Amino acid sequence: MPPWLLARFVGPPLHSWPTLQQLRLWAAQPLTTQTLTAGLTVCAWLLWLLVAYAVIVTAARRLRAGARWLRRLPLPTPLQATATGMAGAAALTAAANTTATAPPVQPIAVSAGTLHHDTVDAPKVHAGEGVTIPGGWLPQKTADQVAAAATLVWLRRRRSYQPGLRESPNQDDPDLAPLPAAVTAVQAAVCVPDQDSSERSPDEQPRATAPPSIAALPATGVAFAGGGAADAARGVLVTALLAALRDPPDAIRVVITRSALTTLLPPAATAVCAGIPALRVTETAAHAVELIDSLASPTPDTAGPSPPTHEEASRLVLITEPPPGPAADRLAALLGAGRATAVVLGAWPLGATWSVDQHGRTVNARLPGQAGPRLCVLDRVAAMDLLTVIGPPTPSHAPHAGTAPRTAVPEQRRPPPEVRIPRQAGEDRTPQPTPPVAAPPPVELRVLGQPTLLIDGRAVTIRRSAAVQILTFLAVHRHGATTAQLVQAIWPGLAAHTVTNRLYTTLSVLRAAIRAASDLSIIDHTDDRYRLRSEHLEVDLWRLHTAAHHAATTLTDPARAWQAVIDAYTGDLAAGHTWSWIDPPREGARRLVLDAYAAAASTQHDPRRAVELLQAGIRVDPYNESLHQRAIDILTTLGDHAAAQRLRDAHCHRLSIAGLHPSDTLGQPRERSNASTGD
């Protein structure tokens, strides 16, 4: 329309190109009616072209955004489509029958993924693809291995914790620190709730996933080039070490030269890598080749390609700069025999050369048109974060062999059996008056076990899993949390500004669900801090902390006080949920009740009752070695060696299934005084 109007009423910008005589007349007298009219015409046409360009660019941008949204739009499964059709037919039938009375809808207890999954903005794991995190990209199998390694870290901490050694329940445990940001981002992506496998159609069964970086490398060795060369080498290093976690503890699976290590990782990585049994650092490339020659063993010669196996994924990996002449020939022979895989940081004429971009996509540099597999890529920060879950625990986290150090307390000064442990000494030993018990608030939040919000005893239906996370997070952080803290906890690995609006939407849905059941406001927002209003709300986790603090400070009837802690613990914090932030507070709450069981057992004069309490604590945390050791000591003292051996064997079997190893001193007899007090 605008071009037609311009052509109809204004005319074309130029009827013809100006002649030389016209240019001379314009130079002699530029401002004439004819020249002004021509200039205005040209300006009008240029203005229309500018508007047309802006409209086309905006439309193209919106089309691309719509296409991306459609690609992310989850399609219903056949069973879901059938269920939706049946529900629609039922709704139409119910609407037609005006005389029928619909039964009341039963409230659904709040739980992650009950009705609506808030995982649209979270990092995702797609079959055959991988996980994008701040600082890199991981294939799905590598991401699964990272999540498994993170789980193993918490199992180690649970195994080595010694209940009853804290002076106060409010004392922070040094090994309850959360895992690094890159690890939590991977956990959030891998642990996204998914539909049950029984609800999938045969066409929707999990497909083959992309192989990890090790299985994709050529057998003759490869040199990385391009902007993502160093990131890809770090990805190979981390992937190989993750695969080696399933190997025997003394197996060396990765060899790297010191110069390559300093090129890929910051100086702080030297101490971390020194504690990884599967990694060996050599001074030169020639020494690395000699070590590979001594460690590698020939693999069976098979005809034709075979799918990656555990042995293939865990084969020896060498990361080095180009070795000198004789060492290069020796390395080429080892690679040709299938005895190792090599990644060379530099020119490598004897092997392949891959050009890697920052997203891990590879192209054969010698065959530019041939695209290769996508590799794991990690920057320095992400690689260091992942190495922390691969390495062994620090000395403060190491197992204590089920007993506290005995050198600090002489034998004759050890506490007698009737002394309660733990205990917080106080200057004032006057019993404090018990405050009057107030009426419980009408709103109750249960986060020990399955999270549930109760108003007047009825469960409130909350349709967003992120809203359940917010309630649980605020229950854990009783003094409140900022917007940034909530966003980072619920949507880790994503920029805060990209999901802040989603947080506001989730809070609005949560408030609306609460207003539908009560006129009370349980979430306060002041000075950019969200907190639960304790005057309107009762939280079972808060009762547990109060009972534990009272038990640690009371001077009368400690057995009853510790039993109150045991009764207040009704289950693991947010049981069944795999949120990336939940492990530290969940383990902290579990340790409160483990302390209670250990302390209650130490107050018992009947050893069999003490064993019952310790076994109840073992059921809460079957990986804790200290509780097993104390129960074994008492059973041995009672002469029930068969029961002690069964308890030890069951514990060792459970640890072996999880990939852990018991202490060498587990089950060995100790001094009677020490065993009876549980010290």
Side-chain angles (χ1 to χ4, degrees):
M1 189 65 179
W4 181 84
L5 292 175
L6 288 174
R8 178 70 176 81
F9 297 102
V10 180
L14 292 175
H15 294 279
S16 62
W17 291 103
T19 63
L20 183 60
Q21 181 64 24
Q22 289 174 338
L23 291 176
R24 289 175 181 174
L25 292 176
W26 176 78
Q29 192 176 1
L31 298 179
T32 63
T33 302
Q34 185 179 3
T35 57
L36 290 176
T37 302
L40 291 176
T41 302
V42 172
C43 290
W45 280 97
L46 290 177
L47 180 61
W48 174 82
L49 290 175
L50 180 62
V51 173
Y53 172 78
V55 171
I56 292 173
V57 170
T58 303
R61 185 182 298 112
R62 292 183 178 178
L63 286 175
R64 286 197 300 268
R68 287 195 299 268
W69 178 81
L70 288 175
R71 285 197 299 268
R72 294 196 304 264
L73 182 65
L75 297 177
T77 65
L79 287 178
Q80 290 173 335
T82 303
T84 303
M86 296 174 63
L92 292 175
T93 304
N97 187 8
T98 57
T99 61
T101 302
V105 179
Q106 297 296 328
I108 301 176
V110 296
S111 62
T114 301
L115 298 175
H116 185 279
H117 294 298
D118 287 289
T119 58
V120 176
D121 293 324
K124 294 185 180 295
V125 182
H126 300 286
E129 298 181 12
V131 177
T132 300
I133 62 173
W137 179 88
L138 300 86
Q140 182 174 342
K141 287 187 177 180
T142 304
D144 292 339
Q145 291 173 342
V146 171
T151 302
L152 197 62
V153 169
W154 286 106
L155 289 180
R156 288 197 197 104
R157 295 179 179 183
R158 291 172 61 179
R159 178 196 60 184
S160 61
Y161 177 66
Q162 298 189 52
L165 296 186
R166 292 186 296 178
E167 295 181 356
S168 168
N170 297 326
Q171 180 182 352
D172 293 332
D173 293 324
D175 59 343
L176 285 183
L179 299 179
V183 180
T184 57
V186 173
Q187 287 180 294
V190 173
C191 299
V192 168
D194 196 4
Q195 60 181 351
D196 186 74
S197 59
S198 61
E199 299 180 358
R200 295 192 182 102
S201 66
D203 295 336
E204 293 178 315
Q205 295 300 324
R207 296 169 291 175
T209 58
S213 299
I214 306 304
L217 298 179
T220 57
V222 62
F224 291 153
D231 293 348
R234 282 186 284 265
V236 170
L237 173 64
V238 171
T239 302
L241 292 178
L242 285 169
L245 290 177
R246 299 169 295 179
D247 293 333
D250 56 347
I252 299 175
R253 288 301 179 183
V254 183
V255 179
I256 186 172
T257 61
R258 191 168 301 278
S259 61
L261 181 65
T262 56
T263 300
L264 299 178
L265 299 174
T270 303
V272 176
C273 294
I276 300 178
L279 178 64
R280 180 68 59 87
V281 181
T282 62
E283 294 299 328
T284 64
H287 293 160
V289 174
E290 293 178 1
L291 181 61
I292 290 289
D293 191 13
S294 62
L295 293 175
S297 58
T299 58
D301 188 14
T302 58
S306 59
T309 61
H310 171 58
E311 290 76 9
E312 182 181 0
S314 297
R315 57 185 174 182
L316 276 167
V317 177
L318 171 64
I319 303 177
T320 178
E321 66 276 4
D329 296 337
R330 182 57 184 158
L331 177 60
L334 293 173
L335 299 179
R339 301 176 65 180
T341 300
V343 173
V344 181
L345 304 180
W348 176 243
L350 302 181
T353 300
W354 287 359
S355 178
V356 189
D357 64 9
Q358 296 180 349
H359 302 286
R361 298 181 178 89
T362 61
V363 176
N364 194 325
R366 298 176 183 174
L367 299 173
Q370 182 179 352
R374 190 175 183 183
L375 301 179
C376 175
V377 285
L378 301 168
D379 63 9
R380 287 171 172 257
V381 176
M384 280 296 298
D385 286 353
L386 299 185
L387 285 175
T388 57
V389 299
I390 298 175
T394 59
S396 61
H397 304 161
H400 303 288
T403 178
R406 287 174 240 165
T407 57
V409 181
E411 179 63 29
Q412 64 274 16
R413 298 183 59 184
R414 290 211 177 102
E418 64 272 9
V419 175
R420 174 179 48 83
I421 297 174
R423 180 173 181 139
Q424 185 179 18
E427 298 295 335
D428 186 10
R429 295 180 175 269
T430 303
Q432 299 295 327
T434 303
V437 179
V443 182
E444 181 183 3
L445 176 61
R446 299 175 183 173
V447 294
L448 296 176
Q450 181 67 27
T452 307
L453 181 64
L454 300 172
I455 297 181
D456 295 329
R458 300 180 60 184
V460 177
T461 299
I462 298 179
R463 300 181 180 274
R464 288 179 178 262
S465 62
V468 182
Q469 285 202 61
I470 291 174
L471 285 175
T472 309
F473 192 85
L474 294 180
V476 171
H477 299 81
R478 187 170 185 175
H479 299 291
T482 63
T483 300
Q485 290 172 337
L486 285 171
V487 168
Q488 292 172 1
I490 300 175
W491 296 284
L494 298 176
H497 68 276
T498 62
V499 289
T500 301
N501 290 334
R502 189 167 184 82
L503 173 65
Y504 297 153
T505 302
T506 303
L507 287 169
S508 299
V509 172
L510 177 59
R511 289 192 176 101
I514 296 172
R515 282 196 304 268
S518 173
D519 57 353
L520 295 177
S521 175
I522 66 172
I523 299 180
D524 179 48
H525 185 208
T526 305
D527 298 332
D528 193 36
R529 292 190 71 85
Y530 295 91
R531 59 177 58 85
L532 298 178
R533 303 184 65 173
S534 57
E535 66 272 18
H536 295 163
L537 182 70
E538 187 178 83
V539 183
D540 55 355
L541 180 63
W542 298 353
R543 289 198 300 266
L544 174 66
H545 283 279
T546 301
H549 180 74
H550 173 70
T553 56
T554 187
L555 301 175
T556 59
D557 201 357
R560 178 177 297 180
W562 290 118
Q563 186 61 43
V565 179
I566 295 172
D567 295 338
Y569 188 82
T570 57
D572 290 343
L573 179 64
H577 297 293
T578 55
W579 305 325
S580 59
W581 59 270
I582 197 64
D583 285 321
R586 175 182 288 166
E587 180 61 18
R590 183 187 290 117
R591 290 183 179 187
L592 290 178
V593 72
L594 294 185
D595 290 343
Y597 278 115
S602 68
T603 63
Q604 295 296 322
H605 297 284
D606 182 3
R608 297 194 178 277
R609 174 57 183 162
V611 170
E612 292 177 358
L613 289 170
L614 292 174
Q615 289 177 333
I618 290 172
R619 285 192 290 271
V620 172
D621 189 357
Y623 295 96
N624 186 265
E625 190 169 290
S626 179
L627 293 180
H628 283 84
Q629 181 65 62
R630 298 178 193 190
I632 290 173
D633 290 341
I634 297 177
L635 290 172
T636 303
T637 303
L638 293 174
D640 195 347
H641 299 281
Q645 186 62 34
R646 287 195 301 270
L647 184 60
R648 182 187 183 281
D649 293 342
H651 181 55
C652 294
H653 178 67
R654 183 176 290 106
L655 291 180
S656 63
I657 293 176
L660 299 175
H661 303 279
S663 300
D664 296 335
T665 57
L666 177 64
Q668 295 183 3
R670 296 179 295 167
E671 294 91 338
R672 179 172 181 176
S673 61
N674 194 29
S676 61
T677 60
D679 188 13

